[in-house]
Amino acid sequence: MARKILRINMTELKATYEEMPEKWARWGGRGMTSAITFDEVDPTCHPLGPNNKLVIAPGWVSGSPAAPSSGRTSFGGKSPLTGTIKEANSGGLSSQKLAKMGIGAIILEGTPKNGDWHMIYINKDGVDFLPANDLMGKGMHEVDKILWERFPNKPAVIGIGQAGEMKLSNAGISVNDPENNPGRYAGRGGMGAVLGARGVKAIVVDDKGVNAIEIVDEELFKAGRRKLTDSIQAHDLTKRDGALNSYGTDVLMNIINEAGGLPTRNFSAGQFEGAAKISGEMIAEMVEKRGGGMTGHACHPGCIIQCSNIYPDEDGSIIASPIEYETAFALGANCGIDDLDYVAKMTYECNDIGLDTIESGNTVAIAMEGGLLEFGDKVGALKLFDEVRQGTPMGRIFGQGVEATAKAFGVHRVPTVKGQSMPAYEPRAIKGIGFTYATSTMGADHTSGYTIAPEIAGVGGKVDQLTDKGKADLSLTFQAATAFIDSTGYCLFIAFPILDIPEGWAGMAETVAGVTGMKITGEDVIPLGKEILKMERLFNERAGFNEQDDRLPEFMRYEVLPPHNVVWDTSDEELDKVYAWVHDGSN
Amino acid sequence: MRVEVRVFATLRRYLPELGIGEAKIVAVDPGTTLDQLRESLGIPKTEVKIIMRNHLHADFDDLINDGDRITYIPAVAGG
């Protein structure tokens, strides 16, 4: 059965399965959400208004048998945080279930006439619009629990906490994990507010009794799958008991600190004296010592990397899952907080209320710089989250993220690009990631072009972190490869082994070719990625963005960052090389 | 000469006496390379993906200077 478009109109409360149009048939994941957003969303629309849409898409290989680590779901539309096009993707249960139901994308559009909130239930028999009255005002832990009690077959639950209900610009979209916890977030860019603007509290996806997965060339798919799986299992980073499996992404805390690129106390230093206390090694030590938690946790079925964790309290009860590097940086180092238990408690709050942890931690840091509380005040920081849950005026400002909070508190050191705050790598100390932050179609985002791999980790080559020479090309290559991988349904972390192991790179492309029947090889990864980037870039231009928006914040140009004692001194001309090809016909 | 040595993640097993982030102070002779120091600490070369010296990438064959802050790192990434 060919993949279908499921169009859900919330004005009419009508759901229609449509044939997949030719123009979208070649896309999956991010390629799909960006193509549909490009074709159907007016770039000048208000992100929370009636003309924005939320597009939800599994990847090309999602749901295919034993495709390793392939449970990512893409959520796209126009972002209320950045005003740009956005794709945020998440692990959890939804990707494989949507794919098995034959859904290439859900297009959620319209707004209920009377302001009612709904819960949408999708199964093999159709689509039901159910009242969400009993779910309103509830956090995602409770919502997930209620919906698993109400619906059998352990369905995927896509939903929003109170932040999404309030349509706050930092509201994420939660997807439940295999244990029905809400720690999997399409967090960045406020897509939870876009779901809220459609009057939808939750979407339940029950794939029981249907498997519409089609594989055009089974042999090619299997051959590619073997190469990809072998490379993931062979690489020191992603193999069983390797660094990611043993310590999670927070294994980076000590390393980035050593590299002098760990943003600390609202991006005022590149090292944090408390880094070791909030590191992945410390998470593993706490899990071992306290019992009750785990490392090596899978965020979706079929993941063979298993980099997630469940962080326990002193008595072995669970505080939160997962503690990522980004989470520990934002809620820890960047706030001057070196207490992992408090990082975990704030992570719980983010997961429950439905907030992106990166933007949230950075917003706490802004509030600290603005004098609302002291750096390191973990108790005060934790209380801020309850303000959001309660919807107090302070909470609503906080829930808008870094830029709004900086304005409210008169802070001029604002680490954002296109309205979105920077993740866990200081661009003054690691130049290539600065190119990505500046030029990404998504605002400041590390995942959109992870030059950290060669700049710090020695993965996919090794380059000097402090030079900007060659970084425009490096960033573009990573941005294009990422746009492709974000379209596959694979976790972006497969990039690390396949950057070092060419057979894995080819294998990834072969799995996509095998499933879809498209004639693509490893050689096509970058060109296809660039096609996606071009759609996104053009959408942004039509929304009013230009090169002047591809800049890092002013304070980074004059404020010296220790320990390397460097500023951001890359010229605008150098930054503009990254996307020059969109209009000069060079590609 | 005296240098600070740190190991992280899966390499911590080779210097188990160190707490997370703690440094071992090691006396080395002038002319010692980062690779020779690694060997003397019993860290397998195959497990070292990168070496950092004073917050920047260094090579196995680089000579050690007095007071260097040296970190041996396995394959790591994430984010």
Side-chain angles (χ1 to χ4, degrees):
Chain A
M1 187 178 93
R3 296 180 302 163
K4 305 264 190 194
I5 295 289
L6 173 56
R7 191 178 294 275
I8 300 178
N9 186 307
M10 293 306 297
T11 311
E12 308 295 332
L13 297 185
K14 189 176 156 198
T16 317
Y17 278 97
E18 301 174 355
E19 295 301 316
M20 179 70 74
E22 181 79 24
K23 60 182 178 178
W24 298 335
R26 56 199 293 253
W27 296 121
R30 174 174 165 185
M32 181 72 83
T33 64
S34 288
I36 294 174
T37 302
F38 183 82
D39 286 337
E40 293 211 350
V41 175
D42 176 354
T44 64
C45 76
H46 193 290
L48 302 179
N51 295 316
N52 197 8
K53 303 186 183 193
L54 182 71
V55 187
I56 306 172
W60 280 311
V61 304
S62 297
S64 303
S69 305
S70 59
R72 304 297 292 190
T73 309
S74 292
F75 297 84
K78 181 169 175 175
S79 160
L81 187 72
T82 64
T84 66
I85 199 168
K86 175 63 70 176
E87 184 265 2
N89 64 68
S90 165
L93 298 183
S94 54
S95 183
Q96 291 151 341
K97 290 182 186 296
L98 288 168
K100 283 182 181 168
M101 297 189 74
I103 295 172
I106 297 173
I107 303 175
L108 192 63
E109 58 192 20
T111 309
K113 292 166 186 162
N114 53 11
D116 282 351
W117 285 83
H118 290 84
M119 191 270 289
I120 299 171
Y121 177 67
I122 305 170
N123 74 352
K124 65 179 171 47
D125 299 322
V127 178
D128 291 329
F129 297 86
L130 304 168
N133 303 346
D134 59 329
L135 301 176
M136 300 313 293
K138 290 187 163 55
M140 278 313 301
H141 289 88
E142 197 176 352
V143 169
D144 281 347
K145 188 163 177 285
I146 290 170
L147 293 177
W148 263 30
E149 283 167 3
R150 187 180 304 171
F151 299 101
N153 309 324
K154 300 185 172 180
V157 178
I158 295 165
I160 52 173
Q162 297 92 338
E165 291 181 30
M166 288 182 262
K167 304 180 190 69
L168 303 179
S169 295
N170 186 28
I173 294 176
S174 166
V175 180
N176 57 339
D177 71 9
E179 292 81 34
N180 200 32
N181 287 312
R184 310 297 139 189
Y185 266 86
R188 305 229 73 191
M191 299 314 284
V194 180
L195 185 54
R198 306 277 76 78
V200 176
K201 174 72 174 172
I203 302 171
V204 177
V205 183
D206 177 359
D207 64 334
K208 176 86 172 180
V210 54
N211 188 348
I213 296 289
E214 262 188 0
I215 297 176
V216 175
D217 185 338
E218 190 91 30
E219 289 311 307
L220 184 61
F221 169 71
K222 282 182 179 168
R225 183 179 68 189
R226 171 49 50 203
K227 290 180 200 171
L228 177 59
T229 303
D230 285 350
S231 68
I232 294 170
Q233 290 176 334
H235 197 281
D236 282 342
L237 174 62
T238 47
K239 70 185 183 187
R240 181 59 52 97
D241 297 327
L244 271 176
N245 185 243
S246 301
Y247 304 105
T249 58
D250 199 18
V251 71
L252 281 174
M253 180 64 68
N254 287 312
I255 311 304
I256 304 301
N257 190 52
E258 269 310 298
L262 172 61
T264 299
R265 294 185 178 84
N266 193 30
F267 289 75
S268 61
Q271 285 199 298
F272 179 47
E273 68 283 0
K277 292 186 188 171
I278 55 171
S279 65
E281 290 92 328
M282 187 62 85
I283 292 172
E285 197 167 291
M286 287 295 132
V287 166
E288 172 85 25
K289 191 168 120 189
R290 293 175 170 180
M294 75 179 291
T295 54
H297 175 243
C299 87
H300 66 264
C303 182
I304 60 173
I305 300 173
Q306 302 181 356
C307 69
S308 175
N309 54 53
I310 300 173
Y311 185 80
D313 209 341
E314 280 176 280
D315 61 3
S317 62
I318 296 166
I319 302 182
S321 170
I323 311 296
E324 303 278 1
Y325 170 53
E326 297 296 333
T327 307
F329 132 77
L331 297 163
N334 205 35
C335 296
I337 292 171
D338 64 2
D339 186 328
L340 206 43
D341 287 2
Y342 270 82
V343 169
K345 286 172 186 172
M346 287 188 276
T347 302
Y348 175 91
E349 295 287 70
C350 288
N351 290 347
D352 198 50
I353 301 164
L355 294 167
D356 174 37
T357 58
I358 297 175
E359 194 73 24
S360 293
N362 289 343
T363 307
V364 175
I366 288 287
M368 288 172 164
E369 177 143 340
L372 183 69
L373 59 171
E374 298 288 320
F375 279 107
D377 179 0
K378 57 195 181 187
V379 177
L382 182 60
K383 280 185 187 159
L384 276 176
F385 289 88
D386 211 41
E387 301 249 11
V388 186
R389 179 182 280 110
Q390 303 301 331
T392 67
M394 175 60 220
R396 284 172 183 265
I397 293 169
F398 181 84
Q400 293 298 340
V402 162
E403 286 204 347
T405 304
K407 284 182 179 168
F409 286 90
V411 174
H412 69 275
R413 300 177 66 263
V414 190
T416 58
V417 179
K418 301 183 183 77
Q420 180 167 286
S421 67
M422 293 178 185
Y425 312 90
E426 239 297 347
R428 283 169 285 185
I430 313 172
K431 302 292 187 193
I433 203 69
F435 280 72
T436 295
Y437 291 167
T439 64
S440 158
T441 52
M442 307 281 162
D445 175 14
H446 61 301
T447 63
S448 66
Y450 194 71
T451 61
I452 300 302
E455 291 188 288
I456 302 294
V459 170
K462 201 191 265 190
V463 297
D464 178 358
Q465 69 186 71
L466 290 180
T467 182
D468 60 9
K469 198 167 171 235
K471 297 291 175 69
D473 282 345
L474 184 74
S475 177
L476 174 59
T477 301
F478 272 83
Q479 289 191 50
T482 301
F484 182 95
I485 295 174
D486 283 346
S487 301
T488 60
Y490 288 124
C491 172
L492 187 54
F493 292 174
I494 69 160
F496 302 128
I498 68 177
L499 280 167
D500 282 340
I501 304 171
E503 294 78 15
W505 182 276
M508 169 186 68
E510 286 165 13
T511 61
V512 175
V515 170
T516 63
M518 294 192 293
K519 306 282 180 224
I520 62 169
T521 68
E523 301 289 313
D524 299 306
V525 170
I526 300 296
L528 274 168
K530 286 174 83 171
E531 272 194 62
I532 297 164
L533 293 176
K534 187 166 185 173
M535 287 189 285
E536 295 171 349
R537 184 83 181 175
L538 292 176
F539 181 96
N540 289 350
E541 286 181 9
R542 291 166 193 172
F545 290 86
N546 60 35
E547 287 87 353
Q548 295 310 310
D549 298 295
D550 294 344
R551 304 289 180 255
L552 295 192
E554 183 204 9
F555 78 92
M556 291 186 168
R557 301 189 73 90
Y558 62 74
E559 198 175 283
V560 172
L561 182 85
H564 289 293
N565 298 320
V566 285
V567 296
W568 176 258
D569 52 5
T570 295
S571 69
D572 293 347
E573 291 70 29
E574 202 60 33
L575 284 174
D576 293 343
K577 286 180 183 171
V578 179
Y579 277 93
W581 56 275
V582 171
H583 291 296
D584 73 6
S586 60
N587 290 82
Chain B
M1 304 196 300
R2 293 164 76 82
V3 296
E4 288 181 23
V5 178
R6 288 174 177 78
V7 286
F8 290 116
T10 47
L11 297 185
R12 289 188 65 226
R13 70 175 75 115
Y14 299 108
L15 294 174
E17 70 276 19
L18 295 179
I20 301 165
E22 280 182 3
K24 182 183 178 78
I25 307 298
V26 183
V28 294
D29 295 327
T32 306
T33 66
L34 289 167
D35 196 40
Q36 288 165 337
L37 175 60
R38 173 202 59 74
E39 185 69 34
S40 72
L41 294 169
I43 304 169
K45 190 167 187 174
T46 53
E47 294 187 31
V48 178
K49 182 85 172 173
I50 41 174
I51 307 171
M52 281 203 171
R53 185 202 358 216
N54 304 329
H55 315 302
L56 291 172
H57 282 162
D59 293 325
F60 282 101
D61 295 334
D62 287 352
L63 291 176
I64 292 171
N65 296 317
D66 189 28
D68 275 350
R69 174 174 173 140
I70 296 161
T71 308
Y72 294 98
I73 299 169
V76 294

